[in-house]
mmCIF file of all heavy atoms in Angstrom:
data_model
loop_
_atom_site.group_PDB
_atom_site.id
_atom_site.type_symbol
_atom_site.label_atom_id
_atom_site.label_comp_id
_atom_site.label_asym_id
_atom_site.label_seq_id
_atom_site.Cartn_x
_atom_site.Cartn_y
_atom_site.Cartn_z
ATOM 1 N N THR Z 4 113.248 55.559 -1.493
ATOM 2 C CA THR Z 4 111.907 55.069 -1.768
ATOM 3 C C THR Z 4 111.312 54.467 -0.501
ATOM 4 O O THR Z 4 112.009 53.842 0.283
ATOM 5 C CB THR Z 4 111.961 53.996 -2.872
ATOM 6 O OG1 THR Z 4 112.581 54.557 -4.023
ATOM 7 C CG2 THR Z 4 110.580 53.512 -3.234
ATOM 8 N N ARG Z 6 109.727 51.958 1.971
ATOM 9 C CA ARG Z 6 109.866 50.514 2.053
ATOM 10 C C ARG Z 6 108.818 49.933 2.971
ATOM 11 O O ARG Z 6 108.316 50.611 3.861
ATOM 12 C CB ARG Z 6 111.270 50.168 2.539
ATOM 13 C CG ARG Z 6 112.245 50.242 1.374
ATOM 14 C CD ARG Z 6 113.598 50.704 1.717
ATOM 15 N NE ARG Z 6 113.698 51.976 2.361
ATOM 16 C CZ ARG Z 6 114.039 53.083 1.739
ATOM 17 N NH1 ARG Z 6 114.238 53.069 0.457
ATOM 18 N NH2 ARG Z 6 114.186 54.201 2.402
ATOM 19 N N LEU Z 7 108.496 48.682 2.764
ATOM 20 C CA LEU Z 7 107.382 48.105 3.502
ATOM 21 C C LEU Z 7 107.667 46.665 3.853
ATOM 22 O O LEU Z 7 108.196 45.903 3.059
ATOM 23 C CB LEU Z 7 106.115 48.167 2.643
ATOM 24 C CG LEU Z 7 104.804 47.848 3.329
ATOM 25 C CD1 LEU Z 7 104.494 48.869 4.392
ATOM 26 C CD2 LEU Z 7 103.687 47.802 2.302
ATOM 27 N N HIS Z 204 122.255 39.848 -8.624
ATOM 28 C CA HIS Z 204 121.760 41.129 -8.103
ATOM 29 C C HIS Z 204 121.304 42.035 -9.238
ATOM 30 O O HIS Z 204 120.207 42.607 -9.208
ATOM 31 C CB HIS Z 204 122.876 41.815 -7.301
ATOM 32 C CG HIS Z 204 122.572 43.219 -6.900
ATOM 33 N ND1 HIS Z 204 122.813 44.306 -7.734
ATOM 34 C CD2 HIS Z 204 122.059 43.742 -5.755
ATOM 35 C CE1 HIS Z 204 122.458 45.423 -7.126
ATOM 36 N NE2 HIS Z 204 121.986 45.111 -5.928
ATOM 37 N N LEU Z 207 118.075 40.914 -10.850
ATOM 38 C CA LEU Z 207 116.926 41.307 -10.033
ATOM 39 C C LEU Z 207 116.593 42.775 -10.242
ATOM 40 O O LEU Z 207 115.421 43.147 -10.350
ATOM 41 C CB LEU Z 207 117.220 41.033 -8.553
ATOM 42 C CG LEU Z 207 116.175 41.524 -7.541
ATOM 43 C CD1 LEU Z 207 114.808 40.898 -7.799
ATOM 44 C CD2 LEU Z 207 116.641 41.222 -6.120
ATOM 45 N N MET Z 208 117.612 43.617 -10.317
ATOM 46 C CA MET Z 208 117.380 45.049 -10.543
ATOM 47 C C MET Z 208 116.655 45.278 -11.873
ATOM 48 O O MET Z 208 115.795 46.154 -11.989
ATOM 49 C CB MET Z 208 118.704 45.815 -10.560
ATOM 50 C CG MET Z 208 119.489 45.792 -9.260
ATOM 51 S SD MET Z 208 118.684 46.566 -7.849
ATOM 52 C CE MET Z 208 118.017 45.107 -7.010
ATOM 53 N N GLN Z 209 117.011 44.512 -12.891
ATOM 54 C CA GLN Z 209 116.362 44.639 -14.195
ATOM 55 C C GLN Z 209 114.926 44.151 -14.177
ATOM 56 O O GLN Z 209 114.058 44.690 -14.865
ATOM 57 C CB GLN Z 209 117.158 43.855 -15.244
ATOM 58 C CG GLN Z 209 118.559 44.371 -15.505
ATOM 59 C CD GLN Z 209 119.378 43.407 -16.338
ATOM 60 O OE1 GLN Z 209 118.851 42.468 -16.962
ATOM 61 N NE2 GLN Z 209 120.697 43.603 -16.367
ATOM 62 N N ALA Z 210 114.661 43.123 -13.363
ATOM 63 C CA ALA Z 210 113.352 42.465 -13.401
ATOM 64 C C ALA Z 210 112.303 43.146 -12.537
ATOM 65 O O ALA Z 210 111.105 43.056 -12.826
ATOM 66 C CB ALA Z 210 113.491 41.002 -12.965
ATOM 67 N N CYS Z 211 112.724 43.832 -11.481
ATOM 68 C CA CYS Z 211 111.770 44.278 -10.464
ATOM 69 C C CYS Z 211 111.737 45.796 -10.323
ATOM 70 O O CYS Z 211 112.755 46.475 -10.480
ATOM 71 C CB CYS Z 211 112.122 43.642 -9.115
ATOM 72 S SG CYS Z 211 110.854 43.876 -7.849
ATOM 73 N N THR Z 212 110.559 46.289 -9.982
ATOM 74 C CA THR Z 212 110.349 47.704 -9.670
ATOM 75 C C THR Z 212 109.641 47.777 -8.326
ATOM 76 O O THR Z 212 108.780 46.940 -8.017
ATOM 77 C CB THR Z 212 109.484 48.382 -10.747
ATOM 78 O OG1 THR Z 212 110.133 48.256 -12.017
ATOM 79 C CG2 THR Z 212 109.265 49.857 -10.426
ATOM 80 N N TYR Z 213 109.985 48.781 -7.538
ATOM 81 C CA TYR Z 213 109.371 48.904 -6.220
ATOM 82 C C TYR Z 213 107.871 49.149 -6.354
ATOM 83 O O TYR Z 213 107.429 49.996 -7.133
ATOM 84 C CB TYR Z 213 110.018 50.037 -5.427
ATOM 85 C CG TYR Z 213 109.575 50.044 -3.983
ATOM 86 C CD1 TYR Z 213 110.139 49.163 -3.064
ATOM 87 C CD2 TYR Z 213 108.576 50.893 -3.552
ATOM 88 C CE1 TYR Z 213 109.721 49.138 -1.746
ATOM 89 C CE2 TYR Z 213 108.155 50.881 -2.231
ATOM 90 C CZ TYR Z 213 108.730 50.005 -1.338
ATOM 91 O OH TYR Z 213 108.298 49.980 -0.033
ATOM 92 N N ALA Z 214 107.075 48.411 -5.584
ATOM 93 C CA ALA Z 214 105.610 48.445 -5.680
ATOM 94 C C ALA Z 214 105.063 49.605 -4.843
ATOM 95 O O ALA Z 214 104.606 49.416 -3.714
ATOM 96 C CB ALA Z 214 105.013 47.117 -5.239
ATOM 97 N N ASN Z 229 101.563 39.040 -3.294
ATOM 98 C CA ASN Z 229 102.782 38.598 -3.967
ATOM 99 C C ASN Z 229 103.905 39.627 -3.895
ATOM 100 O O ASN Z 229 105.065 39.300 -4.152
ATOM 101 C CB ASN Z 229 102.482 38.265 -5.429
ATOM 102 C CG ASN Z 229 101.607 37.036 -5.572
ATOM 103 O OD1 ASN Z 229 101.525 36.223 -4.660
ATOM 104 N ND2 ASN Z 229 100.926 36.913 -6.702
ATOM 105 N N ALA Z 230 103.570 40.880 -3.560
ATOM 106 C CA ALA Z 230 104.600 41.915 -3.469
ATOM 107 C C ALA Z 230 105.590 41.636 -2.349
ATOM 108 O O ALA Z 230 106.674 42.219 -2.312
ATOM 109 C CB ALA Z 230 103.956 43.285 -3.265
ATOM 110 N N PHE Z 231 105.246 40.719 -1.455
ATOM 111 C CA PHE Z 231 106.098 40.380 -0.331
ATOM 112 C C PHE Z 231 106.886 39.099 -0.577
ATOM 113 O O PHE Z 231 107.495 38.562 0.348
ATOM 114 C CB PHE Z 231 105.243 40.227 0.937
ATOM 115 C CG PHE Z 231 104.543 41.482 1.343
ATOM 116 C CD1 PHE Z 231 103.314 41.820 0.780
ATOM 117 C CD2 PHE Z 231 105.103 42.344 2.267
ATOM 118 C CE1 PHE Z 231 102.664 42.987 1.140
ATOM 119 C CE2 PHE Z 231 104.457 43.514 2.633
ATOM 120 C CZ PHE Z 231 103.241 43.844 2.070
ATOM 121 N N THR Z 232 106.884 38.610 -1.807
ATOM 122 C CA THR Z 232 107.463 37.301 -2.105
ATOM 123 C C THR Z 232 108.479 37.374 -3.237
ATOM 124 O O THR Z 232 108.504 38.319 -4.031
ATOM 125 C CB THR Z 232 106.365 36.307 -2.509
ATOM 126 O OG1 THR Z 232 105.836 36.684 -3.798
ATOM 127 C CG2 THR Z 232 105.229 36.281 -1.490
ATOM 128 N N ALA Z 233 109.289 36.326 -3.321
ATOM 129 C CA ALA Z 233 110.225 36.204 -4.432
ATOM 130 C C ALA Z 233 109.479 36.093 -5.755
ATOM 131 O O ALA Z 233 109.934 36.606 -6.782
ATOM 132 C CB ALA Z 233 111.125 34.984 -4.222
ATOM 133 N N GLY Z 235 106.617 37.524 -6.575
ATOM 134 C CA GLY Z 235 106.184 38.851 -6.979
ATOM 135 C C GLY Z 235 107.320 39.661 -7.565
ATOM 136 O O GLY Z 235 107.152 40.363 -8.579
ATOM 137 N N ALA Z 236 108.499 39.567 -6.946
ATOM 138 C CA ALA Z 236 109.643 40.341 -7.430
ATOM 139 C C ALA Z 236 110.137 39.846 -8.777
ATOM 140 O O ALA Z 236 110.436 40.638 -9.673
ATOM 141 C CB ALA Z 236 110.772 40.280 -6.404
ATOM 142 N N LEU Z 237 110.222 38.527 -8.953
ATOM 143 C CA LEU Z 237 110.870 37.965 -10.129
ATOM 144 C C LEU Z 237 109.921 37.758 -11.303
ATOM 145 O O LEU Z 237 110.269 38.068 -12.447
ATOM 146 C CB LEU Z 237 111.536 36.644 -9.753
ATOM 147 C CG LEU Z 237 112.665 36.762 -8.727
ATOM 148 C CD1 LEU Z 237 113.096 35.388 -8.238
ATOM 149 C CD2 LEU Z 237 113.839 37.519 -9.311
ATOM 150 N N GLY Z 240 107.376 41.187 -11.255
ATOM 151 C CA GLY Z 240 108.205 42.378 -11.396
ATOM 152 C C GLY Z 240 107.792 43.541 -10.519
ATOM 153 O O GLY Z 240 108.164 44.685 -10.792
ATOM 154 N N ARG Z 241 107.053 43.286 -9.441
ATOM 155 C CA ARG Z 241 106.630 44.326 -8.505
ATOM 156 C C ARG Z 241 106.785 43.774 -7.096
ATOM 157 O O ARG Z 241 106.267 42.708 -6.775
ATOM 158 C CB ARG Z 241 105.172 44.735 -8.728
ATOM 159 C CG ARG Z 241 104.838 45.182 -10.134
ATOM 160 C CD ARG Z 241 105.417 46.531 -10.450
ATOM 161 N NE ARG Z 241 104.786 47.610 -9.692
ATOM 162 C CZ ARG Z 241 105.161 48.885 -9.774
ATOM 163 N NH1 ARG Z 241 106.179 49.217 -10.540
ATOM 164 N NH2 ARG Z 241 104.529 49.816 -9.074
ATOM 165 N N ALA Z 242 107.484 44.521 -6.240
ATOM 166 C CA ALA Z 242 107.708 44.030 -4.880
ATOM 167 C C ALA Z 242 108.054 45.182 -3.955
ATOM 168 O O ALA Z 242 108.506 46.245 -4.397
ATOM 169 C CB ALA Z 242 108.826 42.988 -4.849
ATOM 170 N N VAL Z 243 107.822 44.953 -2.659
ATOM 171 C CA VAL Z 243 108.336 45.835 -1.621
ATOM 172 C C VAL Z 243 109.615 45.206 -1.085
ATOM 173 O O VAL Z 243 110.102 44.210 -1.626
ATOM 174 C CB VAL Z 243 107.276 46.054 -0.513
ATOM 175 C CG1 VAL Z 243 106.080 46.816 -1.069
ATOM 176 C CG2 VAL Z 243 106.819 44.729 0.091
ATOM 177 N N CYS Z 244 110.163 45.766 -0.017
ATOM 178 C CA CYS Z 244 111.492 45.333 0.425
ATOM 179 C C CYS Z 244 111.557 43.842 0.730
ATOM 180 O O CYS Z 244 112.552 43.179 0.433
ATOM 181 C CB CYS Z 244 111.943 46.153 1.624
ATOM 182 S SG CYS Z 244 110.935 45.935 3.113
ATOM 183 N N GLU Z 245 110.504 43.289 1.329
ATOM 184 C CA GLU Z 245 110.510 41.872 1.663
ATOM 185 C C GLU Z 245 110.599 41.014 0.409
ATOM 186 O O GLU Z 245 111.314 40.003 0.378
ATOM 187 C CB GLU Z 245 109.268 41.509 2.478
ATOM 188 C CG GLU Z 245 109.265 40.061 2.942
ATOM 189 C CD GLU Z 245 108.136 39.754 3.919
ATOM 190 O OE1 GLU Z 245 107.536 40.703 4.467
ATOM 191 O OE2 GLU Z 245 107.851 38.566 4.140
ATOM 192 N N GLY Z 246 109.891 41.410 -0.633
ATOM 193 C CA GLY Z 246 109.959 40.674 -1.887
ATOM 194 C C GLY Z 246 111.340 40.733 -2.519
ATOM 195 O O GLY Z 246 111.853 39.724 -3.023
ATOM 196 N N TYR Z 247 111.959 41.919 -2.500
ATOM 197 C CA TYR Z 247 113.326 42.044 -3.013
ATOM 198 C C TYR Z 247 114.277 41.127 -2.240
ATOM 199 O O TYR Z 247 115.092 40.420 -2.837
ATOM 200 C CB TYR Z 247 113.807 43.488 -2.857
ATOM 201 C CG TYR Z 247 113.455 44.433 -3.977
ATOM 202 C CD1 TYR Z 247 112.265 45.140 -3.976
ATOM 203 C CD2 TYR Z 247 114.346 44.662 -5.029
ATOM 204 C CE1 TYR Z 247 111.952 46.044 -4.980
ATOM 205 C CE2 TYR Z 247 114.053 45.568 -6.045
ATOM 206 C CZ TYR Z 247 112.843 46.259 -6.013
ATOM 207 O OH TYR Z 247 112.545 47.149 -7.015
ATOM 208 N N ALA Z 248 114.181 41.173 -0.906
ATOM 209 C CA ALA Z 248 115.116 40.409 -0.080
ATOM 210 C C ALA Z 248 114.934 38.903 -0.277
ATOM 211 O O ALA Z 248 115.909 38.146 -0.358
ATOM 212 C CB ALA Z 248 114.940 40.785 1.386
ATOM 213 N N ARG Z 249 113.679 38.455 -0.355
ATOM 214 C CA ARG Z 249 113.434 37.027 -0.556
ATOM 215 C C ARG Z 249 113.856 36.582 -1.958
ATOM 216 O O ARG Z 249 114.335 35.458 -2.141
ATOM 217 C CB ARG Z 249 111.963 36.710 -0.295
ATOM 218 C CG ARG Z 249 111.564 36.850 1.172
ATOM 219 C CD ARG Z 249 110.113 36.473 1.413
ATOM 220 N NE ARG Z 249 109.726 36.683 2.810
ATOM 221 C CZ ARG Z 249 109.925 35.824 3.807
ATOM 222 N NH1 ARG Z 249 110.520 34.676 3.545
ATOM 223 N NH2 ARG Z 249 109.540 36.102 5.035
ATOM 224 N N ALA Z 250 113.681 37.440 -2.935
ATOM 225 C CA ALA Z 250 114.123 37.106 -4.291
ATOM 226 C C ALA Z 250 115.646 36.992 -4.353
ATOM 227 O O ALA Z 250 116.196 36.062 -4.955
ATOM 228 C CB ALA Z 250 113.633 38.165 -5.274
ATOM 229 N N MET Z 251 116.336 37.933 -3.717
ATOM 230 C CA MET Z 251 117.803 37.886 -3.686
ATOM 231 C C MET Z 251 118.270 36.607 -3.012
ATOM 232 O O MET Z 251 119.202 35.932 -3.473
ATOM 233 C CB MET Z 251 118.318 39.103 -2.925
ATOM 234 C CG MET Z 251 119.807 39.363 -3.094
ATOM 235 S SD MET Z 251 120.227 40.071 -4.702
ATOM 236 C CE MET Z 251 121.022 38.676 -5.509
ATOM 237 N N GLN Z 252 117.611 36.241 -1.933
ATOM 238 C CA GLN Z 252 117.950 35.015 -1.214
ATOM 239 C C GLN Z 252 117.748 33.786 -2.095
ATOM 240 O O GLN Z 252 118.611 32.902 -2.162
ATOM 241 C CB GLN Z 252 117.100 34.916 0.048
ATOM 242 C CG GLN Z 252 117.375 33.701 0.909
ATOM 243 C CD GLN Z 252 116.376 33.576 2.046
ATOM 244 O OE1 GLN Z 252 115.207 33.932 1.889
ATOM 245 N NE2 GLN Z 252 116.820 33.081 3.182
ATOM 246 N N LEU Z 253 116.623 33.714 -2.778
ATOM 247 C CA LEU Z 253 116.331 32.571 -3.641
ATOM 248 C C LEU Z 253 117.367 32.447 -4.749
ATOM 249 O O LEU Z 253 117.868 31.348 -5.044
ATOM 250 C CB LEU Z 253 114.927 32.723 -4.238
ATOM 251 C CG LEU Z 253 114.487 31.640 -5.226
ATOM 252 C CD1 LEU Z 253 114.458 30.275 -4.557
ATOM 253 C CD2 LEU Z 253 113.117 31.974 -5.806
ATOM 254 N N LEU Z 254 117.711 33.550 -5.381
ATOM 255 C CA LEU Z 254 118.679 33.532 -6.475
ATOM 256 C C LEU Z 254 120.050 33.045 -5.997
ATOM 257 O O LEU Z 254 120.692 32.215 -6.660
ATOM 258 C CB LEU Z 254 118.799 34.934 -7.082
ATOM 259 C CG LEU Z 254 117.572 35.460 -7.817
ATOM 260 C CD1 LEU Z 254 117.734 36.941 -8.135
ATOM 261 C CD2 LEU Z 254 117.309 34.670 -9.098
ATOM 262 N N LEU Z 264 117.766 36.534 5.568
ATOM 263 C CA LEU Z 264 117.024 37.781 5.653
ATOM 264 C C LEU Z 264 117.418 38.522 6.929
ATOM 265 O O LEU Z 264 117.655 37.913 7.963
ATOM 266 C CB LEU Z 264 115.523 37.502 5.667
ATOM 267 C CG LEU Z 264 114.977 36.680 4.499
ATOM 268 C CD1 LEU Z 264 113.475 36.436 4.681
ATOM 269 C CD2 LEU Z 264 115.243 37.365 3.167
ATOM 270 N N HIS Z 275 111.811 47.398 7.706
ATOM 271 C CA HIS Z 275 112.580 47.164 6.487
ATOM 272 C C HIS Z 275 113.204 45.777 6.529
ATOM 273 O O HIS Z 275 113.374 45.194 7.611
ATOM 274 C CB HIS Z 275 113.660 48.240 6.349
ATOM 275 C CG HIS Z 275 114.387 48.215 5.045
ATOM 276 N ND1 HIS Z 275 113.766 48.026 3.836
ATOM 277 C CD2 HIS Z 275 115.706 48.352 4.766
ATOM 278 C CE1 HIS Z 275 114.663 48.067 2.871
ATOM 279 N NE2 HIS Z 275 115.844 48.247 3.404
ATOM 280 N N MET Z 276 113.508 45.234 5.369
ATOM 281 C CA MET Z 276 114.160 43.927 5.262
ATOM 282 C C MET Z 276 115.229 43.988 4.192
ATOM 283 O O MET Z 276 115.036 44.591 3.134
ATOM 284 C CB MET Z 276 113.130 42.840 4.923
ATOM 285 C CG MET Z 276 113.724 41.427 4.858
ATOM 286 S SD MET Z 276 112.480 40.159 4.471
ATOM 287 C CE MET Z 276 111.659 40.011 6.056
ATOM 288 N N TRP Z 277 116.361 43.334 4.465
ATOM 289 C CA TRP Z 277 117.432 43.239 3.493
ATOM 290 C C TRP Z 277 118.130 41.899 3.693
ATOM 291 O O TRP Z 277 117.553 40.984 4.260
ATOM 292 C CB TRP Z 277 118.392 44.433 3.612
ATOM 293 C CG TRP Z 277 119.131 44.589 4.899
ATOM 294 C CD1 TRP Z 277 120.407 44.200 5.174
ATOM 295 C CD2 TRP Z 277 118.652 45.219 6.110
ATOM 296 N NE1 TRP Z 277 120.759 44.529 6.466
ATOM 297 C CE2 TRP Z 277 119.703 45.164 7.058
ATOM 298 C CE3 TRP Z 277 117.447 45.815 6.487
ATOM 299 C CZ2 TRP Z 277 119.573 45.670 8.351
ATOM 300 C CZ3 TRP Z 277 117.318 46.320 7.776
ATOM 301 C CH2 TRP Z 277 118.371 46.254 8.690
ATOM 302 N N ASN Z 278 119.362 41.732 3.213
ATOM 303 C CA ASN Z 278 120.030 40.433 3.246
ATOM 304 C C ASN Z 278 121.387 40.500 3.931
ATOM 305 O O ASN Z 278 122.025 41.549 3.958
ATOM 306 C CB ASN Z 278 120.253 39.887 1.825
ATOM 307 C CG ASN Z 278 118.978 39.682 1.055
ATOM 308 O OD1 ASN Z 278 118.661 40.465 0.161
ATOM 309 N ND2 ASN Z 278 118.241 38.639 1.380
ATOM 310 N N LEU Z 289 123.671 43.313 2.341
ATOM 311 C CA LEU Z 289 123.276 43.644 0.969
ATOM 312 C C LEU Z 289 121.824 44.096 0.992
ATOM 313 O O LEU Z 289 120.949 43.363 1.453
ATOM 314 C CB LEU Z 289 123.438 42.411 0.065
ATOM 315 C CG LEU Z 289 122.830 42.497 -1.336
ATOM 316 C CD1 LEU Z 289 123.522 43.572 -2.165
ATOM 317 C CD2 LEU Z 289 122.915 41.138 -2.039
ATOM 318 N N ASP Z 290 121.552 45.301 0.510
ATOM 319 C CA ASP Z 290 120.186 45.812 0.479
ATOM 320 C C ASP Z 290 119.756 46.048 -0.964
ATOM 321 O O ASP Z 290 119.981 47.125 -1.523
ATOM 322 C CB ASP Z 290 120.082 47.114 1.274
ATOM 323 C CG ASP Z 290 118.637 47.555 1.482
ATOM 324 O OD1 ASP Z 290 117.764 47.114 0.707
ATOM 325 O OD2 ASP Z 290 118.374 48.338 2.404
ATOM 326 N N PRO Z 291 119.135 45.045 -1.598
ATOM 327 C CA PRO Z 291 118.742 45.210 -3.004
ATOM 328 C C PRO Z 291 117.663 46.262 -3.206
ATOM 329 O O PRO Z 291 117.624 46.903 -4.260
ATOM 330 C CB PRO Z 291 118.256 43.810 -3.399
ATOM 331 C CG PRO Z 291 117.855 43.160 -2.109
ATOM 332 C CD PRO Z 291 118.790 43.711 -1.081
ATOM 333 N N THR Z 292 116.787 46.456 -2.226
ATOM 334 C CA THR Z 292 115.728 47.453 -2.390
ATOM 335 C C THR Z 292 116.314 48.846 -2.519
ATOM 336 O O THR Z 292 115.951 49.611 -3.428
ATOM 337 C CB THR Z 292 114.759 47.419 -1.191
ATOM 338 O OG1 THR Z 292 114.328 46.093 -0.961
ATOM 339 C CG2 THR Z 292 113.556 48.311 -1.444
ATOM 340 N N TRP Z 293 117.206 49.196 -1.637
ATOM 341 C CA TRP Z 293 117.781 50.539 -1.682
ATOM 342 C C TRP Z 293 118.720 50.720 -2.867
ATOM 343 O O TRP Z 293 118.924 51.837 -3.329
ATOM 344 C CB TRP Z 293 118.496 50.838 -0.361
ATOM 345 C CG TRP Z 293 117.541 51.232 0.727
ATOM 346 C CD1 TRP Z 293 116.236 50.866 0.846
ATOM 347 C CD2 TRP Z 293 117.823 52.071 1.845
ATOM 348 N NE1 TRP Z 293 115.691 51.410 1.977
ATOM 349 C CE2 TRP Z 293 116.644 52.152 2.612
ATOM 350 C CE3 TRP Z 293 118.959 52.727 2.290
ATOM 351 C CZ2 TRP Z 293 116.567 52.895 3.787
ATOM 352 C CZ3 TRP Z 293 118.894 53.463 3.473
ATOM 353 C CH2 TRP Z 293 117.705 53.554 4.206
ATOM 354 N N ASN Z 294 119.280 49.630 -3.378
ATOM 355 C CA ASN Z 294 120.073 49.740 -4.601
ATOM 356 C C ASN Z 294 119.187 50.038 -5.808
ATOM 357 O O ASN Z 294 119.685 50.459 -6.856
ATOM 358 C CB ASN Z 294 120.861 48.460 -4.847
ATOM 359 C CG ASN Z 294 122.125 48.394 -4.019
ATOM 360 O OD1 ASN Z 294 122.622 49.410 -3.536
ATOM 361 N ND2 ASN Z 294 122.652 47.192 -3.834
ATOM 362 N N ASP Z 295 117.889 49.840 -5.659
ATOM 363 C CA ASP Z 295 116.947 50.081 -6.756
ATOM 364 C C ASP Z 295 116.075 51.311 -6.492
ATOM 365 O O ASP Z 295 115.008 51.443 -7.058
ATOM 366 C CB ASP Z 295 116.051 48.852 -6.955
ATOM 367 C CG ASP Z 295 115.435 48.804 -8.346
ATOM 368 O OD1 ASP Z 295 115.999 49.395 -9.286
ATOM 369 O OD2 ASP Z 295 114.373 48.164 -8.498
ATOM 370 N N SER Z 296 116.525 52.189 -5.608
ATOM 371 C CA SER Z 296 115.673 53.312 -5.207
ATOM 372 C C SER Z 296 116.034 54.637 -5.871
ATOM 373 O O SER Z 296 115.437 55.659 -5.580
ATOM 374 C CB SER Z 296 115.726 53.495 -3.681
ATOM 375 O OG SER Z 296 117.024 53.855 -3.260
#
Side-chain angles (χ1 to χ4, degrees):
T4 303
R6 279 146 304 259
L7 191 64
H204 171 275
L207 174 59
M208 297 297 99
Q209 296 169 15
C211 190
T212 301
Y213 190 79
N229 292 339
F231 297 85
T232 69
L237 296 170
R241 305 288 292 178
V243 294
C244 65
E245 184 172 344
Y247 274 89
R249 291 182 183 276
M251 194 75 252
Q252 181 187 34
L253 177 61
L254 293 169
L264 304 178
H275 188 42
M276 183 179 283
W277 62 98
N278 300 105
L289 169 64
D290 190 339
T292 309
W293 281 28
N294 279 340
D295 201 24
S296 64

